[in-house]
Each structure stands twice: as structure tokens, then as C-alpha cells.
Short mmCIF file of all heavy atoms in Angstrom, two decimals:
data_model
loop_
_atom_site.label_atom_id
_atom_site.label_comp_id
_atom_site.label_asym_id
_atom_site.label_seq_id
_atom_site.Cartn_x
_atom_site.Cartn_y
_atom_site.Cartn_z
N THR A 133 0.88 -1.15 -0.01
CA THR A 133 -0.03 0.00 0.00
C THR A 133 0.88 1.21 0.00
O THR A 133 1.70 1.40 0.93
CB THR A 133 -0.93 0.00 1.25
OG1 THR A 133 -1.73 -1.10 1.23
CG2 THR A 133 -1.79 1.28 1.20
N VAL A 134 0.82 2.03 -1.04
CA VAL A 134 1.69 3.19 -1.19
C VAL A 134 0.84 4.46 -1.48
O VAL A 134 -0.30 4.37 -1.86
CB VAL A 134 2.73 3.06 -2.31
CG1 VAL A 134 3.71 1.89 -1.99
CG2 VAL A 134 2.03 2.80 -3.67
N THR A 135 1.43 5.64 -1.28
CA THR A 135 0.75 6.88 -1.59
C THR A 135 1.35 7.49 -2.79
O THR A 135 2.62 7.60 -2.92
CB THR A 135 0.89 7.84 -0.38
OG1 THR A 135 0.34 7.24 0.82
CG2 THR A 135 0.28 9.17 -0.66
N VAL A 136 0.49 7.97 -3.71
CA VAL A 136 0.93 8.59 -4.96
C VAL A 136 0.60 10.08 -4.90
O VAL A 136 -0.60 10.36 -4.69
CB VAL A 136 0.30 7.92 -6.20
CG1 VAL A 136 0.74 8.72 -7.45
CG2 VAL A 136 0.74 6.47 -6.30
N SER A 137 1.60 10.95 -5.06
CA SER A 137 1.32 12.37 -5.03
C SER A 137 1.70 12.95 -6.39
O SER A 137 2.86 12.87 -6.78
CB SER A 137 2.11 13.05 -3.93
OG SER A 137 1.96 14.45 -4.00
N VAL A 138 0.74 13.56 -7.05
CA VAL A 138 0.99 14.20 -8.41
C VAL A 138 0.70 15.68 -8.22
O VAL A 138 -0.45 16.08 -8.11
CB VAL A 138 0.13 13.52 -9.50
CG1 VAL A 138 0.40 14.26 -10.81
CG2 VAL A 138 0.36 12.06 -9.59
N ASP A 139 1.74 16.47 -8.29
CA ASP A 139 1.63 17.95 -8.15
C ASP A 139 0.78 18.27 -6.94
O ASP A 139 -0.04 19.17 -6.93
CB ASP A 139 0.98 18.51 -9.40
CG ASP A 139 1.99 18.69 -10.59
OD1 ASP A 139 3.24 18.58 -10.29
OD2 ASP A 139 1.60 18.78 -11.76
N GLY A 140 1.07 17.54 -5.84
CA GLY A 140 0.36 17.82 -4.61
C GLY A 140 -0.97 17.16 -4.36
O GLY A 140 -1.45 17.15 -3.18
N ALA A 141 -1.53 16.54 -5.37
CA ALA A 141 -2.74 15.72 -5.25
C ALA A 141 -2.34 14.36 -4.86
O ALA A 141 -1.70 13.65 -5.61
CB ALA A 141 -3.56 15.78 -6.53
N THR A 142 -2.79 13.79 -3.66
CA THR A 142 -2.40 12.51 -3.20
C THR A 142 -3.57 11.51 -3.12
O THR A 142 -4.72 11.86 -2.95
CB THR A 142 -1.71 12.65 -1.75
OG1 THR A 142 -2.76 13.16 -0.90
CG2 THR A 142 -0.60 13.57 -1.81
N ARG A 143 -3.17 10.23 -3.27
CA ARG A 143 -4.17 9.15 -3.03
C ARG A 143 -3.41 7.84 -2.72
O ARG A 143 -2.17 7.70 -3.16
CB ARG A 143 -5.07 8.95 -4.22
CG ARG A 143 -4.43 8.64 -5.49
CD ARG A 143 -5.40 8.66 -6.65
NE ARG A 143 -4.83 8.49 -7.93
CZ ARG A 143 -4.82 7.34 -8.61
NH1 ARG A 143 -5.43 6.30 -8.13
NH2 ARG A 143 -4.29 7.31 -9.82
N GLU A 144 -4.04 6.92 -2.00
CA GLU A 144 -3.42 5.62 -1.74
C GLU A 144 -3.83 4.57 -2.73
O GLU A 144 -4.94 4.61 -3.21
CB GLU A 144 -3.81 5.10 -0.34
CG GLU A 144 -3.06 5.83 0.79
CD GLU A 144 -3.38 5.14 2.14
OE1 GLU A 144 -4.21 4.24 2.21
OE2 GLU A 144 -2.66 5.50 3.11
N ILE A 145 -2.88 3.67 -3.08
CA ILE A 145 -3.20 2.60 -4.00
C ILE A 145 -2.63 1.33 -3.44
O ILE A 145 -1.68 1.34 -2.66
CB ILE A 145 -2.61 2.87 -5.40
CG1 ILE A 145 -1.11 2.82 -5.37
CG2 ILE A 145 -3.10 4.16 -6.00
CD1 ILE A 145 -0.44 2.77 -6.81
N SER A 146 -3.22 0.20 -3.85
CA SER A 146 -2.73 -1.12 -3.49
C SER A 146 -2.07 -1.66 -4.76
O SER A 146 -2.70 -1.63 -5.81
CB SER A 146 -3.85 -2.02 -3.01
OG SER A 146 -4.37 -1.56 -1.82
N THR A 147 -0.89 -2.22 -4.64
CA THR A 147 -0.18 -2.60 -5.85
C THR A 147 0.75 -3.78 -5.50
O THR A 147 1.18 -3.95 -4.36
CB THR A 147 0.67 -1.38 -6.45
OG1 THR A 147 1.34 -1.93 -7.57
CG2 THR A 147 1.63 -0.92 -5.43
N PHE A 148 1.09 -4.58 -6.53
CA PHE A 148 2.12 -5.57 -6.43
C PHE A 148 3.43 -5.12 -7.12
O PHE A 148 4.38 -5.82 -7.38
CB PHE A 148 1.67 -6.88 -7.10
CG PHE A 148 0.56 -7.55 -6.32
CD1 PHE A 148 -0.77 -7.36 -6.74
CD2 PHE A 148 0.84 -8.39 -5.35
CE1 PHE A 148 -1.78 -7.93 -6.08
CE2 PHE A 148 -0.15 -9.07 -4.66
CZ PHE A 148 -1.50 -8.83 -4.98
N ALA A 149 3.48 -3.74 -7.42
CA ALA A 149 4.62 -3.22 -8.19
C ALA A 149 5.95 -3.34 -7.35
O ALA A 149 5.89 -3.20 -6.11
CB ALA A 149 4.42 -1.72 -8.55
N ARG A 150 7.04 -3.50 -8.01
CA ARG A 150 8.34 -3.61 -7.43
C ARG A 150 9.04 -2.26 -7.44
O ARG A 150 9.94 -2.04 -6.63
CB ARG A 150 9.21 -4.68 -8.10
CG ARG A 150 8.66 -6.12 -7.98
CD ARG A 150 9.57 -7.01 -8.77
NE ARG A 150 9.14 -8.43 -8.59
CZ ARG A 150 9.54 -9.26 -7.63
NH1 ARG A 150 10.35 -8.83 -6.67
NH2 ARG A 150 9.05 -10.53 -7.51
N THR A 151 8.71 -1.39 -8.35
CA THR A 151 9.37 -0.04 -8.47
C THR A 151 8.32 1.06 -8.48
O THR A 151 7.16 0.85 -8.83
CB THR A 151 10.19 0.03 -9.81
OG1 THR A 151 9.33 -0.02 -10.94
CG2 THR A 151 11.21 -1.10 -9.87
N PRO A 152 8.73 2.27 -8.21
CA PRO A 152 7.80 3.44 -8.29
C PRO A 152 7.24 3.63 -9.70
O PRO A 152 6.06 3.97 -9.83
CB PRO A 152 8.69 4.63 -7.92
CG PRO A 152 9.75 4.05 -6.98
CD PRO A 152 9.97 2.74 -7.59
N ALA A 153 8.00 3.38 -10.73
CA ALA A 153 7.54 3.58 -12.10
C ALA A 153 6.35 2.60 -12.32
O ALA A 153 5.36 2.92 -12.93
CB ALA A 153 8.65 3.27 -13.13
N GLN A 154 6.48 1.24 -11.82
CA GLN A 154 5.31 0.31 -11.97
C GLN A 154 4.15 0.70 -11.18
O GLN A 154 3.05 0.60 -11.65
CB GLN A 154 5.85 -1.09 -11.57
CG GLN A 154 6.94 -1.64 -12.49
CD GLN A 154 7.51 -2.94 -11.96
OE1 GLN A 154 7.27 -3.37 -10.79
NE2 GLN A 154 8.28 -3.64 -12.74
N ALA A 155 4.36 1.27 -10.01
CA ALA A 155 3.26 1.69 -9.18
C ALA A 155 2.49 2.92 -9.80
O ALA A 155 1.27 2.93 -9.83
CB ALA A 155 3.75 2.14 -7.81
N LEU A 156 3.23 3.81 -10.43
CA LEU A 156 2.56 4.96 -11.10
C LEU A 156 1.76 4.44 -12.30
O LEU A 156 0.67 4.96 -12.58
CB LEU A 156 3.57 5.99 -11.59
CG LEU A 156 4.28 6.80 -10.46
CD1 LEU A 156 5.41 7.64 -10.98
CD2 LEU A 156 3.26 7.72 -9.81
N ALA A 157 2.33 3.48 -13.00
CA ALA A 157 1.61 2.87 -14.13
C ALA A 157 0.32 2.20 -13.65
O ALA A 157 -0.75 2.33 -14.29
CB ALA A 157 2.47 1.88 -14.89
N ASP A 158 0.41 1.38 -12.47
CA ASP A 158 -0.81 0.82 -11.91
C ASP A 158 -1.88 1.88 -11.56
O ASP A 158 -3.03 1.60 -11.60
CB ASP A 158 -0.42 0.00 -10.71
CG ASP A 158 0.37 -1.27 -11.09
OD1 ASP A 158 0.33 -1.61 -12.26
OD2 ASP A 158 0.98 -1.90 -10.20
N ALA A 159 -1.33 3.08 -11.14
CA ALA A 159 -2.32 4.15 -10.70
C ALA A 159 -2.83 4.92 -11.97
O ALA A 159 -3.65 5.89 -11.73
CB ALA A 159 -1.61 5.09 -9.72
N GLY A 160 -2.43 4.60 -13.09
CA GLY A 160 -2.89 5.25 -14.30
C GLY A 160 -2.27 6.61 -14.55
O GLY A 160 -2.78 7.46 -15.20
N VAL A 161 -1.06 6.83 -13.93
CA VAL A 161 -0.31 8.11 -14.05
C VAL A 161 0.74 7.89 -15.12
O VAL A 161 1.59 7.07 -14.99
CB VAL A 161 0.30 8.50 -12.71
CG1 VAL A 161 1.07 9.83 -12.90
CG2 VAL A 161 -0.81 8.69 -11.68
N ARG A 162 0.68 8.77 -16.12
CA ARG A 162 1.68 8.72 -17.21
C ARG A 162 2.78 9.73 -16.80
O ARG A 162 2.54 10.85 -16.56
CB ARG A 162 1.06 9.14 -18.51
CG ARG A 162 1.99 8.92 -19.72
CD ARG A 162 1.31 9.24 -21.01
NE ARG A 162 2.14 9.16 -22.13
CZ ARG A 162 1.82 9.23 -23.36
NH1 ARG A 162 0.53 9.52 -23.66
NH2 ARG A 162 2.67 9.07 -24.40
N VAL A 163 3.97 9.25 -16.91
CA VAL A 163 5.16 10.06 -16.57
C VAL A 163 5.79 10.57 -17.86
O VAL A 163 6.15 9.82 -18.79
CB VAL A 163 6.28 9.20 -15.84
CG1 VAL A 163 7.46 10.06 -15.44
CG2 VAL A 163 5.64 8.58 -14.57
#
């Protein structure tokens, strides 16, 4: 369970990701 903050807007997500890049992708955030 991690917190994703995009330009100050935050939310928690549950993920099996091993890296932050994978977690952002799981959260639907394009980098």
C-alpha cells in the first residue's frame, strides 16, 4: 500500500509493483 502524489494531489493505492515506475503505471499516471 503506497501513496501517490501528483503535483500535490495524493491518493493511496494497493499494488504488487516492485518499483515506483510500476506503481505509477498501476495508478494510471503517465510520466
Side-chain angles (χ1 to χ4, degrees):
T133 299
V134 296
T135 301
V136 174
S137 173
V138 180
D139 284 341
T142 61
R143 61 190 174 100
E144 283 190 351
I145 65 168
S146 295
T147 179
F148 291 95
R150 294 177 177 273
T151 64
Q154 293 173 348
L156 289 172
D158 289 346
V161 178
R162 185 174 180 178
V163 181

